[in-house]
Amino acid sequence: MENKWKFGIRPKITIGYIIIIVCLFASVIILNNQIRSLQQERNFLLQYNNKVETLTNNVEKFVMDMQAGQRGFVITGNEIYLEPYYKAAGEWQIEFKELYQLMADKPDQQQKLQVVRETTDLWIEEAGENAIRLKRDNDDAAIQQFYANDRGREYMQSIRNQFNDFRESEREIAQIRAEELDKQNNNLTVGLFGLLLTVSIIAIVISSQVSKSIVRTINDVTQTIKKIASNNGDLKERIHVNTNDEINELANATNDLLDNLDGREWLQTNLAEIVTKYQGVASIEALAKVFMSEIAKMTNSSSGAFYVREIEDNRNHFIKNASFADNNFEKDIGRESFRIGQGLIGQCVQEKQTFIFNEIPEDYRYISTGLGEVPPRSIFIVPILFEGDVIAVMELATMSEYSKLQQDLVKQIVETFGLSINSVIGRMEIIRLLNESRAMTEELQVQSEELQTQSEELQMQTEELTQINEQLEEKTKDAETKNKELEKIRKELVEKAEQLTLHSNYKSEFLANMSHELRTPLNSILILSEMLAENDQGRLTDEDAEFANVIHSSGEDLLSLINDILDLSKVEAGKLEVLFEEVNLSELPQHMEHVFSPIAQKKNLEFHIFKEDDVIDLFFTDEKRFQQILKNLLSNAFKFTEEGSVALTIKQIEKQLQTEEMRAISKDWLEVSIADTGIGIPADKHELIFETFQQADGATVRKFGGTGLGLSICKEFARLLGGWITLQSEEGVGSVFKLVVPSLPNGLILDKHLNIDYSEVAVTQASFEPSTAFVSDLANLEVQKQTVIEKDEVLVSLHDHTNVFQNKNILIVDDDYRNIYALKTALEKRGVNILVAKDGIECLDILQDNTEIDIVLMDIMMPNMDGYEAMYRIRNDLQLKELPVIALTAKAMKNDRDKCLEAGASDYISKPLNLDQLFSVLRVWLVS
């Protein structure tokens, strides 16, 4: 077994140098420590002497400062001279204490310092403090007597002498220590030379031993190589070296070279042998068997299988063509076929890489022998390529492990084996095609005779076809001419379609402008008629008040008609906004009963509402359009029913009754039915009533009124909600309108809207009869009035019943004198002071001159400067950020409210105005 620990020539030399270097390092470290010790001693001595000298001088200086301060005070009597005295009195003791502690290892010196301290204390007590006390007592005679004796000067002289004696002793001690350091330095020099001599001797000994070891090993290797060379080229001989160094590596490399040469010789021999074996094989099955037999022997494989690619239905399959040691009759070796990527062998084909597995699963197929079955230890899967594509693959198994030499043999063989497989397959294909060609030649000979007969017949037909072809050419020319005409017609249709789109836009804008023009005078009519109908001052007769009520009611009917026309125009122009959101169906019956029960009671009709239990509570649709459809249908039902009942039924369509197209749109569908016992509709009029401005007949119009818009609008609303409306009616019996809509949480995706087959209800599909939604609007008006009343009550209670309108200044900005008159009359009755501006420019001038304006009523459509610009300049140019500005507009297009608020409006009211709503909004802003 090879020794894993290597001790080569370089390590030997290196270790020798390391030992020498270690010795040198040890010498340097020892020398450095000694030098450092001497240096530290010398530095300590210098620092110690300097510190002692400094502390001694400081103590002596502080004592002298005390003497100078004491004398200055005694001579002048100025207290300022005592500052250095007292400062030095504290500082000298600190310095003295540090000096005394520094002499801890010198008792003699401490004794001398103690004498200095005692002398200093005597001077302070007898000379310093005593003289200061006498001066403060102004005892000049005592001071003269004190200085006549002058004991202080004797003490000072004694202190100087004592310090000089202390310093001299310190100098003698330092000199003795310096002489000791010099002696240590001399000893260090002698030791250094001895250490260098020792290191030199060690280096010579190590170098001699290392070179002796290297030379001995080289001699052993040289003798072995000469022995190999003398054996007439016998490469079986190997070099053996006992040492584990570079010489050993050289020997191992030489041995590896000999092994490599043996392996190459084995590879070439076996490669030539196996190629010779399968030369001349004509079939792929025979080639696979020969190849598997030889390769298994050379690699010591115990079993194996060989697969060749075949193409079936444009898909590659690999079919087993041969196997080795396949002696199990119950189960063949390997699967019969596999696809690319199927199992490990399929993955090998997909990646075009060789797989070797030495860890075999326990359920892998055992290798059969005469005595039993044993598990394999290694699996070898090799793809065989031709021009970059896998043409075949083989799998081998062995009870040992495949050596690298065996793996190299297999890889070298398969590099050219793909070409052999392709050649055999090509030859087989040529033979097959040759056989087919012979058979086809015989068939073609028979067919040639038949074709000769047919050729004569075709000659005759060709002459006939020539005539037909001439006729077709004439027809083709006619068709080209017609195509040009059709292309011209198509372009005209495109132009007309663009004109229709433009006309539709003009129509929408025209209707919006007409709405403004109609709402502006209608605003005055409704306001003034409502004021006349209220008859607050009692100046009108009952008949006059009733006339005013009729005028107001007619105005509201006209407003409803305008709204219907606008809705229809928005639908036709595709500009109607549909907002899908959650609708609470549990509240729908109560809401409809609240709105239509008063109408039923007034007409002595029964009104029933049914809602099935399985109807979901939350339904996703446009609540506004959904309720508008229901209210219009119910309004029509009550309108055309003189006696009997009206019934509203809400149910959910079961899934088994839904078509595939319905389920593709939504899983939840709602059916709302409105049944009445009214006049009914003739069968031939069912489709007519869906059209715009259409009713059943002239008698109906004369008796019940209406414009024919409501049902048409509701049909379009139902379509926008993703559903439809159907009708079942019999004249004189009654009608049943059914609204069917889906629940759409994500809204209706128009480009994916499926074409639902309504053939079974085509003849009954309908939309509502126009009632101008009068009853519905009346109900909404009642709710609105109730809300206004509640707001008024709250505001009145919060402001102690004070009249918020009294003496308020309101600026009306409008270019229509009728609106100005109506608003001015209504507001002045409440005690309001009215100012009037005819356009935005005049409004700005008034606001600049008058700072007492409480609120501004701003019309939008005005000459010179419209309401948008006026509101913008009020907020930005005049900086009137807090002034309430209420926008009044007769335009009914969407986004009008947003545009007003963006321009600077505080609130928004659409014309024609409802006085209760106007007063409520004014009250809110005046109070706030």
Side-chain angles (χ1 to χ4, degrees), residues 643-659:
E643 61 182 9
S645 64
V646 175
L648 172 65
T649 304
I650 305 169
K651 70 176 183 178
Q652 191 163 342
I653 301 178
E654 298 179 359
K655 292 184 178 180
Q656 57 267 27
L657 299 179
Q658 298 177 12
T659 64

mmCIF file of all heavy atoms in Angstrom, residues 643-659:
data_model
loop_
_atom_site.group_PDB
_atom_site.id
_atom_site.type_symbol
_atom_site.label_atom_id
_atom_site.label_comp_id
_atom_site.label_asym_id
_atom_site.label_seq_id
_atom_site.Cartn_x
_atom_site.Cartn_y
_atom_site.Cartn_z
ATOM 1 N N GLU A 643 -107.865 47.104 -14.374
ATOM 2 C CA GLU A 643 -108.366 46.313 -13.251
ATOM 3 C C GLU A 643 -107.598 44.993 -13.196
ATOM 4 O O GLU A 643 -106.981 44.572 -14.176
ATOM 5 C CB GLU A 643 -109.866 46.040 -13.420
ATOM 6 C CG GLU A 643 -110.213 45.263 -14.678
ATOM 7 C CD GLU A 643 -111.719 45.052 -14.833
ATOM 8 O OE1 GLU A 643 -112.495 45.656 -14.058
ATOM 9 O OE2 GLU A 643 -112.083 44.280 -15.720
ATOM 10 N N GLY A 644 -107.600 44.383 -12.033
ATOM 11 C CA GLY A 644 -106.873 43.128 -11.875
ATOM 12 C C GLY A 644 -105.631 43.324 -11.015
ATOM 13 O O GLY A 644 -105.692 43.903 -9.927
ATOM 14 N N SER A 645 -104.503 42.872 -11.523
ATOM 15 C CA SER A 645 -103.297 42.889 -10.685
ATOM 16 C C SER A 645 -102.050 43.041 -11.551
ATOM 17 O O SER A 645 -102.079 42.839 -12.762
ATOM 18 C CB SER A 645 -103.188 41.602 -9.872
ATOM 19 O OG SER A 645 -103.015 40.485 -10.735
ATOM 20 N N VAL A 646 -100.959 43.394 -10.852
ATOM 21 C CA VAL A 646 -99.609 43.430 -11.428
ATOM 22 C C VAL A 646 -98.715 42.609 -10.503
ATOM 23 O O VAL A 646 -98.759 42.775 -9.280
ATOM 24 C CB VAL A 646 -99.067 44.876 -11.556
ATOM 25 C CG1 VAL A 646 -97.610 44.866 -12.034
ATOM 26 C CG2 VAL A 646 -99.934 45.685 -12.519
ATOM 27 N N ALA A 647 -97.889 41.724 -11.080
ATOM 28 C CA ALA A 647 -97.041 40.832 -10.265
ATOM 29 C C ALA A 647 -95.578 40.960 -10.703
ATOM 30 O O ALA A 647 -95.284 40.969 -11.899
ATOM 31 C CB ALA A 647 -97.493 39.380 -10.382
ATOM 32 N N LEU A 648 -94.696 41.054 -9.702
ATOM 33 C CA LEU A 648 -93.243 41.090 -9.939
ATOM 34 C C LEU A 648 -92.651 39.798 -9.362
ATOM 35 O O LEU A 648 -92.789 39.536 -8.165
ATOM 36 C CB LEU A 648 -92.613 42.311 -9.261
ATOM 37 C CG LEU A 648 -91.081 42.371 -9.258
ATOM 38 C CD1 LEU A 648 -90.551 42.503 -10.674
ATOM 39 C CD2 LEU A 648 -90.586 43.539 -8.399
ATOM 40 N N THR A 649 -92.011 38.988 -10.204
ATOM 41 C CA THR A 649 -91.443 37.703 -9.780
ATOM 42 C C THR A 649 -89.940 37.708 -10.046
ATOM 43 O O THR A 649 -89.506 38.011 -11.161
ATOM 44 C CB THR A 649 -92.090 36.533 -10.532
ATOM 45 O OG1 THR A 649 -93.510 36.585 -10.335
ATOM 46 C CG2 THR A 649 -91.548 35.203 -10.014
ATOM 47 N N ILE A 650 -89.173 37.355 -8.998
ATOM 48 C CA ILE A 650 -87.704 37.327 -9.103
ATOM 49 C C ILE A 650 -87.251 35.898 -8.856
ATOM 50 O O ILE A 650 -87.549 35.321 -7.805
ATOM 51 C CB ILE A 650 -87.054 38.274 -8.071
ATOM 52 C CG1 ILE A 650 -87.625 39.681 -8.217
ATOM 53 C CG2 ILE A 650 -85.537 38.287 -8.237
ATOM 54 C CD1 ILE A 650 -87.235 40.599 -7.074
ATOM 55 N N LYS A 651 -86.546 35.311 -9.801
ATOM 56 C CA LYS A 651 -86.038 33.959 -9.606
ATOM 57 C C LYS A 651 -84.703 33.795 -10.320
ATOM 58 O O LYS A 651 -84.352 34.598 -11.193
ATOM 59 C CB LYS A 651 -87.041 32.917 -10.102
ATOM 60 C CG LYS A 651 -87.205 32.858 -11.607
ATOM 61 C CD LYS A 651 -88.156 31.725 -11.995
ATOM 62 C CE LYS A 651 -88.275 31.591 -13.506
ATOM 63 N NZ LYS A 651 -89.149 30.462 -13.901
ATOM 64 N N GLN A 652 -83.982 32.761 -9.912
ATOM 65 C CA GLN A 652 -82.672 32.461 -10.497
ATOM 66 C C GLN A 652 -82.826 31.276 -11.460
ATOM 67 O O GLN A 652 -83.457 30.267 -11.126
ATOM 68 C CB GLN A 652 -81.658 32.134 -9.397
ATOM 69 C CG GLN A 652 -80.223 32.074 -9.880
ATOM 70 C CD GLN A 652 -79.232 32.160 -8.729
ATOM 71 O OE1 GLN A 652 -79.598 32.578 -7.643
ATOM 72 N NE2 GLN A 652 -78.003 31.775 -8.986
ATOM 73 N N ILE A 653 -82.260 31.427 -12.661
ATOM 74 C CA ILE A 653 -82.376 30.365 -13.665
ATOM 75 C C ILE A 653 -81.487 29.193 -13.265
ATOM 76 O O ILE A 653 -80.285 29.369 -13.009
ATOM 77 C CB ILE A 653 -81.970 30.882 -15.056
ATOM 78 C CG1 ILE A 653 -82.869 32.061 -15.451
ATOM 79 C CG2 ILE A 653 -82.035 29.783 -16.096
ATOM 80 C CD1 ILE A 653 -82.499 32.670 -16.785
ATOM 81 N N GLU A 654 -82.064 28.012 -13.181
ATOM 82 C CA GLU A 654 -81.296 26.831 -12.790
ATOM 83 C C GLU A 654 -80.262 26.488 -13.867
ATOM 84 O O GLU A 654 -80.454 26.756 -15.041
ATOM 85 C CB GLU A 654 -82.246 25.650 -12.573
ATOM 86 C CG GLU A 654 -83.251 25.884 -11.445
ATOM 87 C CD GLU A 654 -84.188 24.696 -11.275
ATOM 88 O OE1 GLU A 654 -84.044 23.723 -12.041
ATOM 89 O OE2 GLU A 654 -85.058 24.758 -10.385
ATOM 90 N N LYS A 655 -79.173 25.868 -13.409
ATOM 91 C CA LYS A 655 -78.063 25.581 -14.318
ATOM 92 C C LYS A 655 -78.465 24.616 -15.425
ATOM 93 O O LYS A 655 -77.992 24.723 -16.557
ATOM 94 C CB LYS A 655 -76.879 25.017 -13.541
ATOM 95 C CG LYS A 655 -76.234 26.039 -12.617
ATOM 96 C CD LYS A 655 -74.995 25.472 -11.941
ATOM 97 C CE LYS A 655 -74.340 26.522 -11.058
ATOM 98 N NZ LYS A 655 -73.119 26.010 -10.379
ATOM 99 N N GLN A 656 -79.373 23.650 -15.112
ATOM 100 C CA GLN A 656 -79.755 22.691 -16.147
ATOM 101 C C GLN A 656 -80.594 23.345 -17.237
ATOM 102 O O GLN A 656 -80.739 22.787 -18.336
ATOM 103 C CB GLN A 656 -80.516 21.511 -15.535
ATOM 104 C CG GLN A 656 -81.765 21.905 -14.752
ATOM 105 C CD GLN A 656 -81.459 22.090 -13.284
ATOM 106 O OE1 GLN A 656 -80.341 22.417 -12.943
ATOM 107 N NE2 GLN A 656 -82.445 21.864 -12.427
ATOM 108 N N LEU A 657 -81.162 24.535 -16.955
ATOM 109 C CA LEU A 657 -81.945 25.250 -17.956
ATOM 110 C C LEU A 657 -81.096 26.244 -18.741
ATOM 111 O O LEU A 657 -81.593 26.864 -19.690
ATOM 112 C CB LEU A 657 -83.112 25.992 -17.291
ATOM 113 C CG LEU A 657 -84.123 25.103 -16.551
ATOM 114 C CD1 LEU A 657 -85.202 25.956 -15.915
ATOM 115 C CD2 LEU A 657 -84.731 24.073 -17.503
ATOM 116 N N GLN A 658 -79.834 26.415 -18.351
ATOM 117 C CA GLN A 658 -78.949 27.339 -19.047
ATOM 118 C C GLN A 658 -78.317 26.640 -20.254
ATOM 119 O O GLN A 658 -77.955 25.468 -20.181
ATOM 120 C CB GLN A 658 -77.843 27.846 -18.118
ATOM 121 C CG GLN A 658 -78.355 28.622 -16.913
ATOM 122 C CD GLN A 658 -77.204 29.032 -15.999
ATOM 123 O OE1 GLN A 658 -76.033 28.931 -16.354
ATOM 124 N NE2 GLN A 658 -77.558 29.498 -14.802
ATOM 125 N N THR A 659 -78.161 27.396 -21.324
ATOM 126 C CA THR A 659 -77.479 26.867 -22.506
ATOM 127 C C THR A 659 -75.967 26.936 -22.294
ATOM 128 O O THR A 659 -75.490 27.567 -21.353
ATOM 129 C CB THR A 659 -77.859 27.668 -23.759
ATOM 130 O OG1 THR A 659 -77.386 29.013 -23.596
ATOM 131 C CG2 THR A 659 -79.361 27.682 -23.956
#
